Amino acid sequence: PLPICLAVTAQVERGDVSLGLVGRKTDQPHLEYRLFARDRVVLIVPSRHPLARRKKVSIAELCRQPLIMREAGSGLRHCVEKSLERAGRSWHDLHIALELGTDEAIKEAVLRGAGVSILSAYAVQKELKAGRFRALEVNDLRCDRDMYIVFDKRRVLPLPARQFLDFLESRPIAELPHKRTL
């Protein structure tokens, strides 16, 4: 199956949906991407994990942890891969225990002790507030990313989609609270 980001883009291209929310642009000239939100990824660990009392870990420490990550082609994975490259590391330096296709599956695996993960801070807000996870920063791993609304310029947007897009564009770009508040 296609990674979610590419599957959503394909649905927009086929006209199955008018608008999509994705974390990565493609080079299709007929698709238009509008910035919707700015997101940050964090290392999540269960609240009782040995690293849970820390605020930061090094990339070397991250590489020693069993990681549960998104599948190849996902926007999040692409972001992590690029960030690792900028830090002089590669995906192959990581100890990947599992690759899963949804954030929900990853969160469940982390809660069950199968490993730790790097996920969108948006995706784990509820679990962080409930104290089920702790969010840590990884030194030298900067993976902030943009989220986009995508639509096909070859099609006229139906009125509800146009109104929704207008509503989103009338609001400030959504950003997460400062790192210290997580």
Side-chain angles (χ1 to χ4, degrees):
L2 281 176
I4 289 177
C5 183
L6 297 178
V8 169
T9 303
Q11 288 177 326
V12 170
E13 286 184 289
R14 286 191 310 266
D16 296 342
V17 297
S18 300
L19 300 171
L21 177 62
V22 295
R24 181 174 166 192
K25 293 180 179 182
T26 65
D27 348 348
Q28 300 298 331
H30 55 276
L31 295 178
E32 184 162 334
Y33 293 86
R34 303 263 177 97
L35 183 62
F36 167 67
R38 291 203 146 79
D39 193 11
R40 174 170 40 85
V41 299
V42 293
L43 174 65
I44 59 163
V45 300
S47 58
R48 295 180 187 217
H49 190 278
L51 294 176
R53 289 195 162 106
R54 309 255 313 263
K55 291 184 181 185
K56 293 183 178 187
V57 295
S58 68
I59 290 181
E61 290 171 304
L62 173 70
C63 290
R64 290 191 294 268
Q65 295 296 315
L67 277 169
I68 303 162
M69 295 297 296
R70 288 296 302 264
E71 77 286 1
S74 74
L76 178 77
R77 178 156 165 178
H78 178 76
C79 182
V80 171
E81 288 172 345
K82 292 296 178 193
S83 186
L84 284 166
E85 285 175 24
R86 287 190 301 272
R89 296 290 190 130
S90 83
W91 184 258
H92 301 291
D93 293 331
L94 301 174
H95 174 62
I96 306 298
L98 284 171
E99 288 184 16
L100 298 171
T102 68
D103 292 348
E104 291 305 313
I106 289 171
K107 290 189 290 186
E108 187 61 32
V110 170
L111 284 172
R112 291 180 181 265
V116 301
S117 186
I118 298 173
L119 283 177
S120 156
Y122 275 129
V124 296
Q125 275 184 319
K126 182 175 63 172
E127 291 83 3
L128 291 171
K129 286 180 184 173
R132 292 169 38 196
F133 290 144
R134 292 274 296 139
L136 289 76
E137 202 175 312
V138 180
N139 293 331
D140 300 324
L141 191 66
R142 296 287 172 253
C143 195
D144 295 348
R145 66 187 188 137
D146 294 335
M147 302 298 294
Y148 302 94
I149 299 288
V150 60
F151 60 93
D152 193 327
K153 296 186 288 188
R154 300 174 298 185
R155 291 187 179 80
V156 175
L157 286 175
L159 183 59
R162 179 76 244 162
Q163 288 174 327
F164 183 64
L165 188 59
D166 289 344
F167 168 75
L168 291 176
E169 290 180 333
S170 71
R171 305 179 60 76
I173 301 296
E175 296 199 35
L176 283 172
H178 193 275
K179 292 175 186 161
R180 284 181 245 150
T181 63
L182 288 178

